[in-house]
Amino acid sequence: MARVVVDVMLKPEILDPQGQAVQRALPRLGYEGISEVRQGKRFELEVEGPVDAAALARVHELAGKFLANTVIEDFTVRVEAAEGAEGVTTA
Amino acid sequence: MARVVVDVMLKPEILDPQGQAVQRALPRLGYEGISEVRQGKRFELEVEGPVDAAALARVHELAGKFLANTVIEDFTVRVEAAEGAEGVTTA
């Protein structure tokens, strides 16, 4: 059993009104010096069995099909190990 | 200028209907072996100037006030470096 994390973010060229709203609110709330905020989604998947290359490839496939809209979003898949050692594959 | 990532997830004891819906849909879509899915938010903040301990402390403070609902959500703050070296502070 291992935890695989899928991060889904809007592509850099896609406008992010949610993130902009946060960024514009921060100075008013007393936090200067944050020049950009972008908001995305994080999925934590508990995968049964060993997380080998094949299992990661399947997670990558399902992430691209169901978790991200790859027309407007990028995603990364990585194994989250307890020691902080991480293997990353990028969309 | 550095990118600081704030991950916001529901606390483990809080029900996550969004994640459950994804998890229950996966076998039907041909993906077995995923025993749990939890869905949260990921914020990418571009911080001006050096990201020292004080700057990280401020991001941690604003994340706890404005990005996460700490009654039901946990959050982590980390600096995302280009080489993948990361410093993590946990809520």
Side-chain angles (χ1 to χ4, degrees):
Chain A
M1 185 83 92
R3 174 172 297 170
V4 176
V5 174
V6 179
D7 286 318
V8 178
M9 300 297 293
L10 284 169
K11 287 180 192 281
E13 66 269 26
I14 305 286
L15 204 65
D16 177 4
Q18 276 188 306
Q20 282 185 348
V22 174
Q23 190 265 326
R24 281 199 290 256
L26 288 177
R28 189 161 39 81
L29 298 165
Y31 294 90
E32 307 279 348
I34 312 275
S35 60
E36 197 187 353
V37 177
R38 293 184 73 82
Q39 181 174 344
K41 283 173 282 187
R42 173 187 167 97
F43 296 90
E44 293 180 353
L45 283 67
E46 303 294 333
V47 178
E48 291 164 5
V51 181
D52 47 16
L56 264 187
R58 277 179 67 77
V59 172
H60 201 275
E61 186 183 294
L62 80 84
K65 277 191 190 168
F66 307 122
L67 303 182
N69 174 354
T70 53
V71 176
I72 58 168
E73 291 170 330
D74 288 329
F75 66 96
T76 61
V77 177
R78 67 176 188 275
V79 182
E80 203 178 70
E83 285 72 39
E86 295 188 342
V88 180
T89 66
T90 305
Chain B
M1 186 80 94
R3 173 172 296 171
V4 177
V5 174
V6 180
D7 286 318
V8 179
M9 300 297 293
L10 285 170
K11 288 180 192 281
E13 65 270 26
I14 306 285
L15 204 66
D16 178 4
Q18 275 189 307
Q20 281 185 348
V22 173
Q23 190 266 325
R24 280 200 289 256
L26 288 178
R28 191 160 37 82
L29 297 165
Y31 295 89
E32 308 278 350
I34 312 274
S35 60
E36 198 187 353
V37 176
R38 292 185 74 81
Q39 180 173 347
K41 282 173 284 187
R42 172 188 166 98
F43 295 90
E44 293 181 354
L45 283 68
E46 303 294 333
V47 177
E48 291 163 5
V51 181
D52 48 16
L56 265 186
R58 279 178 66 76
V59 172
H60 201 274
E61 187 184 292
L62 80 83
K65 277 190 192 170
F66 307 122
L67 303 183
N69 174 354
T70 54
V71 177
I72 57 166
E73 291 171 330
D74 288 329
F75 66 96
T76 61
V77 177
R78 68 175 189 276
V79 182
E80 203 178 68
E83 285 73 39
E86 295 187 343
V88 181
T89 67
T90 305

